[in-house]
Amino acid sequence: MIQKNTFPKVEIVTEWSNGSNYAACRLCYKRDVPTCLTENGRLCINCVISELKKMAAKNNLTEWTSPQIIHVLSSAGNVRWRLLFLWRFKEVFEIVSEKSPADVDALLVALVHNLGCVHQHPLASAIYEAAIEACVSLDKKILPTLFQVCKPEPWQSYANIILACSLVAPEDERVQNLIQKAVYHSNPMVRKHVLNIIANHDFNWGKDVLKHLANDQNKDVSASAAKIILNLNLLNLKRITISKGITEDEFAEIERTIEHDYPADTLKKIYRQYLKDIFKDSNPQKKGEIVSAMAIALANKDLLQKLLSSLPENVKKILNIIVWEGGKHTIKKLEKKFGIHIEEEDKYRRLTIYDVYLLFRVKEDYYNKKDSSLYLSDELRKMIKRCLPPPDGYYLTPLDTSKSPFVYTDNSMILRQLSLFAAYIKQGNISFNKNQTKAMKVSIKTMTKSCHIQEFYGDKELEYMKTQLIVDFLIMADMKEIGNPINGLKQLFDNFFQYKGLKDYQLRSLLSHIKGDAYCYGYCEPHEKGVRLSFFNLLKEMSDCRWYSVENVIKHCFYNDIYLDIVDRAVASRYLYYNAPYTYGYRRAEILEELYNDAIIIPLIKSAMFLFAAFGLIDIGYNVPKNPFLQEKGREYLSVFDGLQYVRLTRLGAYVLGLTEKYEMEGIEEQKANLVLDEQRLLIHMEGEDVLKRIALEKIGERISNAYYRVDCNSFLKECFSEKDIQQKITYFKEYISSSPPQIWQDFLNGILRRINPLTIEANTVIYRLKPDKELISLIATDEILKKYILKAENYRILIEAAHFNKIKKRLGELGYFVGNI
């Protein structure tokens, strides 16, 4: 708090800076407002007012008498105390009314006197503003005094009295008469004040007065009147628009979007091109006014309908594509599609779009201006979409049959195999690459054959696709959830769709054609979570279990703005690509905005449908993969899933999604077989049939008939490359073959352990090769000293302990053989 003794100087006008002499405030450091030199440094006008208000709040008003208060409010000086009483006038009024009722009228006259505070003191405006607030706080009690004191001159007092009256009782006929009379005041400043009052109140005579003042001889008055008419027209349209369903916040968001998307020059051209006839009573000139007009045109369905009907046919065609499909669309592609010209060259040979297409935003290609794109912000697309008829594909349309050459129907086979798949993976039958990120192709192939999996394709390039989908999904699942096949499958996908489980599984892994920086392409939980939920809702829309074309499904997703952005679009455009065919090999095609739908979303939809088909949730109709628009190098398609053509929800899928309460299926029998280990020989007899047990036997033995397996060291140790592998194989034997085998088997296992690593490296011995010198060989065999230190000599090689090397070197030197540093 600033000390009181610093404030007397604020009374003195000469202590305030003015013009170019403004100095910085020591509290807020502002320089662009008047400051007062106090004993404790300079303070700006705002900081002075702030500190005076703090002091006013602490002042004891009961210490003042009514005559003292009236004298302060009536005098030209005493700025600080006048403000004190005005800021707390409601309390002052109550004190005077209670202690000196006879002084109330004089107090009110003194209050109104402050509405005309027009002297040169910097705090003069604070005084009359505080006086207006004081009048409003008294409500209609102040009206008689305002009418009594109101005189045409001085004009400042007159204008502020009328303002106070309009704030207190705008509906009062006397107040309105006073305002109407002021319209004809000789001073244009009064007429301008009247304009502001009319702009803030909905008087039934207000429009007539505004029209009158729009023709005022004073240019400032006429311009202000014209602007207010414009603003009132727009404001009225805005009120009507908001009353029809859109909220204030939504309207403000549209305004912010338009403000951000379009420069002022473009907005003026758009207004002249399309909005001028819609807003016949208005003529906005400034950017903010045109922004409001355009926001109203887009938010108001009636006006938007007029706008859309006024568009040229070519603009309508492009608008339909951009509004419904979203994203960015290259100008080149649009020109080719509709046989039109969107761009022209200016006199500097720069490409610019024709004015009729300025409604669209342009994304220029940095390297090639001819590859620029058109688009609209999502906020504007959604507004326009309300008045456009839904295009073909907006709704899902069921079909009776699939016309594809290949149809895959699981027929609930997954329920017979799910436990088998889970146990197969749990047994450790799947091997991975060095990074442990991808299952090896040989493991996938083996599982397909061992588990008798019916694949989607027989082609070598596409074989094992189904098995790969199943393995990639199940290795991320909690195998404990898979007990009863029906309930286990439902729980598995409940957790998947609701993002309660399989959180390490990433749908983006289905996009194997996409390359890029692994870190930037990393897992993003909001994207994964949102896309899973979108697929859940999309499948539920097919609840009638009839066929739907994939083309229809894709359009339905785009047109209804179903969230399928599995990768952030900005990240994709910066870091991701695919290898596209090129004249001389291939090129890196970056996943820019205009490619995002074709390169990511469409392949994602198709691959996810293949995944759901692999688990029996849907049936699919498909062909060999082909893509006429995008291809990966050396192929006719971009994604291996490009052949998908039709999908149909199954009864099992309906149950998993919660659309039906029960699912019953007969014939789900668990395979059972008994393994009998021979007590005399290393033979195992399998009684019955069990795929998992047969796989286990294949790992440790050699099949000698359909029911018998022979085990020996060679068969048991296959695929073992270390002691750890052998230990794991023995553990595997006890877990899946027999935990308490007969003695002959126990002895066999103990023997395997005992014979691990029979060879060890002798660290202190070295083998040297001799030159084929007969005399040297003879010396090695006969010399007593050499024989003493050479451990073994055979086939021109000798074995020597490293510690004795120098002794042998010395002896050979004595015999005439030089041995250098080896």
Side-chain angles (χ1 to χ4, degrees):
M1 171 71 72
I2 298 175
Q3 297 298 318
K4 290 186 178 181
N5 61 9
T6 63
F7 282 92
K9 288 193 175 184
V10 302
E11 302 277 359
I12 306 169
V13 175
T14 54
E15 295 292 342
W16 289 82
S17 62
N18 56 73
S20 60
N21 296 324
Y22 288 175
C25 172
R26 79 172 184 84
L27 292 183
C28 68
Y29 306 108
K30 286 184 179 177
R31 289 180 175 273
D32 56 348
V33 292
T35 58
C36 177
L37 182 60
T38 68
E39 288 81 350
N40 287 354
R42 283 200 172 273
L43 300 177
C44 71
I45 187 170
N46 295 326
C47 289
V48 168
I49 291 173
S50 176
E51 294 299 327
L52 287 175
K53 282 184 176 180
K54 292 176 184 177
M55 291 177 58
K58 293 184 177 183
N59 199 277
N60 187 2
L61 295 176
T62 58
E63 296 176 354
W64 294 76
T65 64
S66 297
Q68 288 176 319
I69 295 173
I70 295 170
H71 172 73
V72 168
L73 289 174
S74 303
S75 63
N78 297 317
V79 171
R80 291 172 298 158
W81 306 119
R82 287 168 75 183
L83 285 170
L84 183 152
F85 294 137
L86 291 172
W87 285 329
R88 299 179 63 184
F89 194 83
K90 195 168 185 181
E91 297 172 63
V92 169
F93 181 78
E94 291 174 355
I95 292 170
V96 173
S97 298
E98 183 179 344
K99 292 185 177 180
S100 307
D103 294 330
V104 168
D105 290 341
L107 176 67
L108 295 180
V109 171
L111 166 62
V112 176
H113 166 75
N114 285 273
L115 293 173
C117 182
V118 294
H119 52 74
Q120 298 301 313
H121 197 286
L123 291 173
S125 60
I127 291 174
Y128 70 70
E129 288 171 2
I132 291 173
E133 290 179 7
C135 290
V136 173
S137 70
L138 294 176
D139 201 25
K140 294 183 180 180
K141 291 192 286 288
I142 192 64
L143 279 179
T145 307
L146 289 172
F147 292 142
Q148 175 190 336
V149 177
C150 184
K151 292 186 174 121
E153 297 296 339
W155 72 264
Q156 294 95 336
S157 175
Y158 183 59
N160 284 334
I161 287 174
I162 295 173
L163 174 60
C165 288
S166 70
L167 294 172
V168 170
E171 75 289 347
D172 192 294
E173 186 177 347
R174 292 169 299 169
V175 172
Q176 294 190 24
N177 289 336
L178 192 62
I179 297 170
Q180 289 176 293
K181 184 178 178 181
V183 170
Y184 303 98
H185 196 281
S186 59
N187 193 311
M189 294 303 296
V190 173
R191 300 200 294 275
K192 286 188 72 173
H193 275 69
V194 171
L195 281 173
N196 292 329
I197 292 171
I198 294 174
N200 291 312
H201 295 89
D202 190 18
F203 298 127
N204 55 12
W205 44 265
K207 288 186 178 180
D208 294 333
V209 171
L210 288 173
K211 289 179 182 178
H212 169 75
L213 291 177
N215 297 312
D216 196 279
Q217 293 181 347
N218 185 279
K219 291 183 179 180
D220 288 341
V221 174
S222 60
S224 296
K227 184 176 180 179
I228 290 171
I229 291 173
L230 166 64
N231 291 336
L232 286 177
N233 288 337
L234 293 177
L235 182 63
N236 186 45
L237 284 171
K238 179 180 175 181
R239 287 171 181 163
I240 293 171
T241 301
I242 291 174
S243 69
K244 290 184 178 181
I246 191 170
T247 66
E248 288 271 7
D249 290 341
E250 289 171 334
F251 187 85
E253 181 61 30
I254 298 171
E255 287 186 310
R256 282 192 293 271
T257 301
I258 296 171
E259 173 81 25
H260 175 268
D261 286 0
Y262 301 96
D265 289 344
T266 300
L267 281 172
K268 289 178 181 179
K269 290 179 181 179
I270 291 173
Y271 184 85
R272 288 195 296 269
Q273 190 81 35
Y274 298 121
L275 302 178
K276 188 176 180 180
D277 293 337
I278 295 176
F279 298 97
K280 293 181 179 179
D281 296 334
S282 306
N283 186 26
Q285 298 294 322
K286 295 183 178 179
K287 181 177 181 180
E289 297 167 351
I290 301 176
V291 166
S292 294
M294 187 170 174
I296 291 168
L298 294 178
N300 187 305
K301 279 190 176 182
D302 296 331
L303 298 181
L304 179 56
Q305 201 65 58
K306 288 183 181 179
L307 170 62
L308 295 175
S309 63
S310 70
L311 298 177
E313 284 303 313
N314 290 334
V315 177
K316 288 180 183 177
K317 292 176 183 177
I318 296 174
L319 187 69
N320 267 288
I321 290 177
I322 291 177
V323 165
W324 288 109
E325 295 186 13
K328 295 179 174 64
H329 300 261
T330 61
I331 291 176
K332 189 188 299 182
K333 185 177 178 181
L334 293 170
E335 287 180 331
K336 184 177 180 180
K337 183 179 180 73
F338 298 116
I340 58 176
H341 292 291
I342 297 172
E343 293 178 310
E344 64 175 340
E345 283 189 352
D346 61 15
K347 61 182 180 179
Y348 302 107
R349 300 185 64 80
R350 294 175 303 190
L351 287 173
T352 58
I353 65 171
Y354 290 103
D355 285 358
V356 291
Y357 299 105
L358 284 174
L359 197 61
F360 307 108
R361 293 189 66 192
V362 180
K363 169 75 182 303
E364 292 187 350
D365 188 288
Y366 182 80
Y367 299 102
N368 187 355
K369 300 295 183 183
K370 293 184 179 180
D371 287 337
S372 298
S373 305
L374 300 183
Y375 71 102
L376 284 172
S377 296
D378 286 342
E379 291 78 11
L380 302 189
R381 283 181 48 246
K382 290 173 183 176
M383 297 306 299
I384 296 172
K385 189 181 286 187
R386 298 172 308 149
C387 288
L388 290 179
D392 292 339
Y394 179 82
Y395 301 104
L396 286 176
T397 305
L399 304 171
D400 293 329
T401 60
S402 162
K403 300 178 182 179
S404 300
F406 305 111
V407 175
Y408 176 82
T409 55
D410 181 77
N411 292 321
S412 303
M413 181 61 69
I414 187 66
L415 298 179
R416 299 181 176 91
Q417 295 180 312
L418 185 60
S419 297
L420 169 64
F421 296 158
Y424 185 92
I425 294 170
K426 187 180 178 183
Q427 282 184 7
N429 294 305
I430 303 296
S431 55
F432 295 86
N433 59 6
K434 291 182 179 179
N435 298 326
Q436 297 294 305
T437 56
K438 190 172 182 62
M440 298 290 284
K441 192 79 173 178
V442 65
S443 293
I444 299 297
K445 181 178 179 180
T446 303
M447 179 173 174
T448 304
K449 293 179 178 178
S450 300
C451 298
H452 307 291
I453 297 175
Q454 178 193 347
E455 279 293 337
F456 296 127
Y457 293 102
D459 185 273
K460 281 189 177 181
E461 189 177 351
L462 303 170
E463 64 181 348
Y464 313 127
M465 182 192 295
K466 178 182 172 183
T467 309
Q468 186 77 58
L469 290 169
I470 291 171
V471 170
D472 290 345
F473 193 81
L474 288 181
I475 59 176
M476 299 298 180
D478 184 357
M479 298 299 184
K480 296 177 183 177
E481 295 176 352
I482 304 173
N484 174 278
I486 296 177
N487 295 331
L489 185 68
K490 178 173 173 53
Q491 186 64 49
L492 186 68
F493 276 94
D494 275 349
N495 290 342
F496 170 74
F497 285 125
Q498 305 305 323
Y499 202 68
K500 295 178 181 177
L502 288 110
K503 293 187 177 182
D504 290 331
Y505 181 80
Q506 301 172 29
L507 281 168
R508 69 162 178 84
S509 65
L510 298 171
L511 307 176
S512 58
H513 60 286
I514 297 296
K515 313 292 188 292
D517 190 306
Y519 174 77
C520 295
Y521 187 24
Y523 175 67
C524 184
E525 182 175 311
H527 292 281
E528 180 76 20
K529 188 175 181 179
V531 171
R532 289 189 189 186
L533 186 59
S534 294
F535 277 127
F536 176 72
N537 292 326
L538 179 62
L539 291 177
K540 288 178 72 173
E541 290 189 66
M542 306 176 196
S543 58
D544 55 1
C545 296
R546 296 175 67 186
W547 287 106
Y548 292 88
S549 76
V550 170
E551 182 183 1
N552 183 189
V553 172
I554 290 169
K555 286 182 177 179
H556 175 73
C557 292
F558 286 151
Y559 296 161
N560 288 274
D561 291 319
I562 293 176
Y563 181 79
L564 292 170
D565 286 8
I566 196 64
V567 184
D568 182 83
R569 289 178 181 252
V571 169
S573 64
R574 187 170 182 180
Y575 299 106
L576 304 186
Y577 66 93
Y578 71 93
N579 293 322
Y582 197 55
T583 308
Y584 304 104
Y586 69 94
R587 65 180 179 88
R588 287 169 58 140
E590 296 175 341
I591 312 299
L592 303 176
E593 176 69 25
E594 52 268 28
L595 273 181
Y596 190 92
N597 287 351
D598 290 327
I600 289 186
I601 289 187
I602 292 177
L604 178 67
I605 293 172
K606 292 182 177 181
S607 60
M609 294 302 164
F610 268 96
L611 172 66
F612 301 144
F615 283 93
L617 305 189
I618 63 172
D619 296 331
I620 55 174
Y622 55 99
N623 203 339
V624 293
K626 283 188 179 180
N627 191 324
F629 305 110
L630 302 177
Q631 298 90 30
E632 199 173 15
K633 65 171 183 176
R635 291 175 178 155
E636 294 183 313
Y637 55 84
L638 179 65
S639 165
V640 293
F641 305 103
D642 274 339
L644 186 67
Q645 295 175 324
Y646 297 90
V647 296
R648 174 178 65 184
L649 188 69
T650 62
R651 288 192 307 112
L652 176 60
Y655 172 72
V656 169
L657 295 172
L659 298 174
T660 57
E661 294 183 2
K662 292 182 179 180
Y663 181 84
E664 294 181 0
M665 179 187 171
E666 297 179 359
I668 303 179
E669 296 180 2
E670 185 179 354
Q671 289 186 329
K672 292 182 179 180
N674 186 36
L675 298 182
V676 180
L677 279 67
D678 196 300
E679 296 184 358
Q680 305 297 325
R681 297 167 297 173
L682 295 178
L683 291 176
I684 301 176
H685 178 217
M686 186 167 77
E687 299 175 343
E689 182 57 45
D690 188 317
V691 172
L692 286 175
K693 289 183 178 179
R694 187 171 291 283
I695 291 170
L697 291 173
E698 296 283 355
K699 277 182 171 290
I700 59 109
E702 176 188 358
R703 186 192 295 197
I704 55 177
S705 72
N706 192 51
Y708 283 92
Y709 283 80
R710 178 174 56 211
V711 180
D712 57 24
C713 291
N714 286 333
S715 67
F716 192 89
L717 293 176
K718 62 186 175 185
E719 299 180 359
C720 290
F721 305 100
S722 66
E723 182 177 350
K724 181 180 178 182
D725 292 340
I726 297 173
Q727 294 283 4
Q728 288 178 344
K729 181 67 76 74
I730 292 173
T731 302
Y732 181 86
F733 178 92
K734 292 183 177 179
E735 184 174 351
Y736 294 103
I737 305 298
S738 174
S739 58
S740 301
Q743 188 61 44
I744 187 175
W745 290 91
Q746 190 61 56
D747 293 341
F748 170 73
L749 296 177
N750 291 337
I752 291 287
L753 290 172
R754 193 169 56 250
R755 290 190 288 269
I756 292 175
N757 292 327
L759 304 177
T760 57
I761 297 174
E762 185 65 50
N764 297 323
T765 58
V766 184
I767 297 175
Y768 293 94
R769 184 181 181 85
L770 300 173
K771 287 184 178 181
D773 184 323
K774 290 183 179 181
E775 185 179 351
L776 173 61
I777 294 170
S778 177
L779 286 171
I780 295 294
T782 58
D783 186 85
E784 293 299 325
I785 296 176
L786 293 176
K787 286 170 63 178
K788 180 180 178 181
Y789 295 114
I790 293 176
L791 301 178
K792 184 76 173 176
E794 188 175 345
N795 196 24
Y796 295 103
R797 292 175 176 82
I798 59 175
L799 185 64
I800 304 170
E801 288 188 16
H804 297 153
F805 175 74
N806 287 332
K807 296 174 183 177
I808 293 175
K809 178 179 178 182
K810 180 180 178 182
R811 179 58 178 161
L812 287 173
E814 292 171 352
L815 297 173
Y817 291 91
F818 173 76
V819 180
N821 294 326
I822 300 176

